[in-house]
Amino acid sequence: MIIGLDMMGGDFAPREAVKGIHLYFSETDSPATLLLTGDEAQINPLLQEFNIPADKVKVVHTTQVIDMHEHPTKALKEKQHSSIAVGFHLLATGKSEAFISAGNTGAMLVGAMYSIKAIEGVQRPTISTLIPKNNGKMGLILDVGINADCKPEHLNQFAILGSLYAEHVLGIHQPRVGLVNIGEEEGKGNILAQGTYPLLKENAAINFIGNVEGRDFFTDKADVMVCEGFTGNVILKMAESFYEMTQSKGIQHEHLDRFNFENYGGTPVLGVAKPVIIGHGISHAKAFSNMIRLAEKMIASDLLSTMKSSFEGKAQAQ
């Protein structure tokens, strides 16, 4: 198993990425081989400092970095020797089996869409976020930002992608799918929700349980909650603020501590042909380690093949 990792992405690169690699190797009996893209003059001394085994990593030297605030499409076109662009090239050509970065989110999304491309039949790839439930379980909300405006058909596909991810990576048997809405009754909501409900209800590929409201996010009513990216991003940022508030006030609680994004690493781009994982720009060692673990799970579960099979008929029907 070979996993690509952008060493120059994130506010604390490359040190925290190397620390994350060290943490990953220290906690894993059979680690993957890591293909590291970035400036070897910065990376190699850190690999030596943290005693990273030379036989388990390979540095692919790059001369450019895509900064956080650069225009994604322009940057990828003009900086083809950047750590992100080279990472996608290695993934697209089969040199690696997954690619991870905590760098420019827009560049990661553009790279995933145009270098790796969507699974045939998927109209729009999506990203999700994990939501800790009050009973210790995890829920999934998608989309959380890259599709601010959607059609009912998009949300219907998000439900399939989210269900497959919840089942094969999170280990949730027959995940329950809920439509984020302003009421429980069928027929509630705006035009998007009203148009999406019957599609989800008739979708034999998912276990649809109806509408879920804001008060249901942290309960065990649904495992996968579907909405357009505008609403999903508001939910995500609100959940993140809970954790930030508890930390600033010195509040320690087992449930609230589960809102720390470092525990989960990053989010995969669901619906593209190969595993691409996007991390938070402020990721530290724990987040990098968990992103590598997530990539391992996605590869080992053969999730992408399952997703491709699920959309084969839809691609032929289009």
Side-chain angles (χ1 to χ4, degrees):
M1 188 179 296
I2 302 174
I3 297 172
L5 176 58
D6 169 22
M7 300 300 290
M8 311 309 292
D11 294 351
F12 308 109
R15 175 169 285 272
E16 288 300 320
V18 174
K19 289 171 65 176
I21 293 170
H22 173 74
L23 179 61
Y24 164 71
F25 283 141
S26 69
E27 297 178 343
T28 308
D29 293 330
S30 301
T33 298
L34 302 181
L35 206 54
L36 314 179
T37 57
D39 180 5
E40 60 185 4
Q42 296 184 55
I43 297 169
N44 287 337
L46 290 170
L47 295 176
Q48 295 177 7
E49 178 182 342
F50 288 94
N51 297 314
I52 305 299
D55 62 329
K56 298 304 296 181
V57 299
K58 179 181 178 182
V59 179
V60 179
H61 179 61
T62 63
T63 57
Q64 297 172 310
V65 176
I66 296 178
D67 295 327
M68 287 294 193
H69 302 293
E70 289 191 69
H71 187 278
T73 305
K74 182 180 178 182
L76 276 173
K77 183 177 180 180
E78 296 180 352
K79 292 187 173 181
Q80 296 186 19
H81 297 287
S82 64
S83 53
I84 288 180
V86 172
F88 273 117
H89 174 72
L90 294 170
L91 181 60
T93 56
K95 302 291 194 309
S96 65
E97 299 169 77
F99 181 50
I100 300 166
S101 176
N104 186 305
T105 300
M108 286 295 291
L109 292 171
V110 171
M113 292 284 285
Y114 294 101
S115 296
I116 306 306
K117 302 187 184 305
I119 292 171
E120 190 173 2
V122 173
Q123 296 178 23
R124 290 190 185 181
T126 179
I127 57 174
S128 63
T129 190
L130 293 172
I131 295 292
K133 301 297 190 72
N134 58 12
N135 62 356
K137 297 181 180 180
M138 298 300 297
L140 190 73
I141 294 181
L142 70 168
D143 183 275
V144 292
I146 67 171
N147 296 291
D149 294 299
C150 291
K151 296 179 181 179
E153 293 80 5
H154 301 147
L155 268 59
N156 191 38
Q157 290 197 343
F158 296 168
I160 298 172
L161 293 168
S163 293
L164 292 172
Y165 181 75
E167 181 176 359
H168 293 276
V169 176
L170 302 182
I172 301 173
H173 181 62
Q174 292 186 336
R176 300 158 296 171
V177 177
L179 174 64
V180 175
N181 211 328
I182 59 172
E184 294 183 349
E185 304 84 5
E186 184 174 353
K188 283 278 189 175
N190 56 15
I191 294 174
L192 175 61
Q194 291 175 18
T196 302
Y197 194 103
L199 294 182
L200 297 178
K201 187 176 181 180
E202 296 170 6
N203 190 340
I206 63 171
N207 178 21
F208 182 54
I209 54 90
N211 290 326
V212 292
E213 301 177 85
R215 62 185 174 183
D216 300 318
F217 295 153
F218 308 114
T219 69
D220 195 32
K221 184 172 181 177
D223 302 300
V224 178
M225 292 161 278
V226 181
C227 59
E228 91 294 339
F230 186 94
T231 298
N233 193 263
V234 171
I235 297 168
L236 168 62
K237 297 299 172 57
M238 181 185 68
E240 288 180 345
S241 73
F242 288 159
Y243 179 72
E244 293 172 0
M245 181 174 61
T246 59
Q247 293 299 294
S248 66
K249 295 182 178 295
I251 300 172
Q252 298 295 321
H253 189 278
E254 181 181 358
H255 177 64
L256 294 175
D257 288 346
R258 294 174 65 224
F259 282 82
N260 182 359
F261 77 90
E262 298 259 353
N263 294 328
Y264 316 112
T267 181
V269 183
L270 300 178
V272 294
K274 295 186 178 184
V276 175
I277 297 170
I278 302 174
H280 205 300
I282 57 172
S283 293
H284 288 84
K286 187 175 183 180
F288 279 104
S289 177
N290 284 325
M291 281 190 276
I292 298 169
R293 290 179 177 276
L294 175 56
E296 277 188 324
K297 286 183 179 180
M298 292 184 70
I299 296 168
S301 66
D302 203 19
L303 173 63
L304 276 300
S305 293
T306 304
M307 287 183 171
K308 290 173 185 176
S309 298
S310 297
F311 282 90
E312 278 180 353
K314 296 175 180 59
Q316 294 170 0
Q318 289 178 354

